[in-house]
Amino acid sequence: MRAYLIDPIKKEISVVNYNGDYQMINKFINCPRGFDAVYGFRNQDTLFVDDEGLLRKENYGFEFTYDNGHTQPLMGKALVLGTDAEGESVAVKSTLEEVASKVNWIGKVKIYHSQMGFEIVPIEADVEEAINSRIKEEVDKKLTEIAKGVNDGS
């Protein structure tokens, strides 16, 4: 069945084929133990992420925007699948473009652990890249808005 793999190391989202075996989720997202389900879509699509992604000292991450507008940083790769009424995995319902619009790459980060929780800090080399990526996203968004206005005759 159709699924999407979010890879923050390569900074890409790709279409993959999921065979329905839950153990394949671990292989797709490179997590040897367990995974968590993140319910960020109103259409019952689900993100599966490494349960221990925040427990590493360093990791690659992305910020995900839920359908309700809430954002959350997630660490490591994620697999996006659909879910039926019984909670079983089905083919993803969202388009690749819809999922891509919800992802903002964070890059490589240091993760500091304390009694207060986790602190995620971009690693120096990725800070400039993150800033440039964010600027490029804003410019692309503005250009798209301008192009729509021209095509609409406004």
Side-chain angles (χ1 to χ4, degrees):
M1 69 189 76
R2 182 181 174 96
Y4 302 132
L5 181 64
I6 301 172
D7 186 340
I9 298 168
K10 294 180 179 177
K11 296 183 179 179
E12 68 181 25
I13 304 170
S14 57
V15 177
V16 295
N17 187 33
Y18 172 66
N19 66 6
D21 178 1
Y22 78 93
Q23 294 175 341
M24 287 300 297
I25 295 173
N26 288 351
K27 291 181 180 176
F28 274 118
I29 63 175
N30 296 336
C31 76
R33 296 197 172 111
F35 54 80
D36 286 325
V38 177
Y39 303 99
F41 300 88
R42 288 192 179 105
N43 66 3
Q44 295 182 322
D45 280 350
T46 304
L47 283 158
F48 293 91
V49 298
D50 184 351
D51 186 43
E52 297 180 351
L54 279 170
L55 298 180
R56 294 180 176 81
K57 292 182 181 184
E58 294 181 355
N59 206 342
Y60 288 83
F62 61 96
E63 186 177 69
F64 181 78
T65 303
Y66 292 82
D67 279 351
N68 68 5
H70 175 73
T71 59
Q72 179 178 4
L74 299 170
M75 296 295 113
K77 294 180 180 180
L79 188 69
V80 184
L81 285 164
T83 309
D84 67 16
E86 287 79 42
E88 295 297 319
S89 295
V90 296
V92 65
K93 299 172 187 94
S94 300
T95 67
L96 190 62
E97 293 76 19
E98 288 169 334
V99 173
S101 73
K102 297 175 174 297
V103 172
N104 182 36
W105 305 116
I106 298 173
K108 191 171 185 180
V109 297
K110 285 192 181 285
I111 303 168
Y112 297 97
H113 309 99
S114 72
Q115 293 176 345
M116 301 295 289
F118 303 97
E119 184 178 357
I120 300 167
V121 179
I123 292 179
E124 195 72 29
D126 277 345
V127 171
E128 186 175 339
E129 183 180 335
I131 291 169
N132 289 338
S133 176
R134 187 67 150 202
I135 291 170
K136 182 184 179 311
E137 287 174 9
E138 291 298 318
V139 168
D140 288 346
K141 184 177 176 182
K142 282 290 186 195
L143 290 173
T144 301
E145 290 173 4
I146 293 168
K148 283 182 181 178
V150 170
N151 290 339
D152 293 341
S154 343

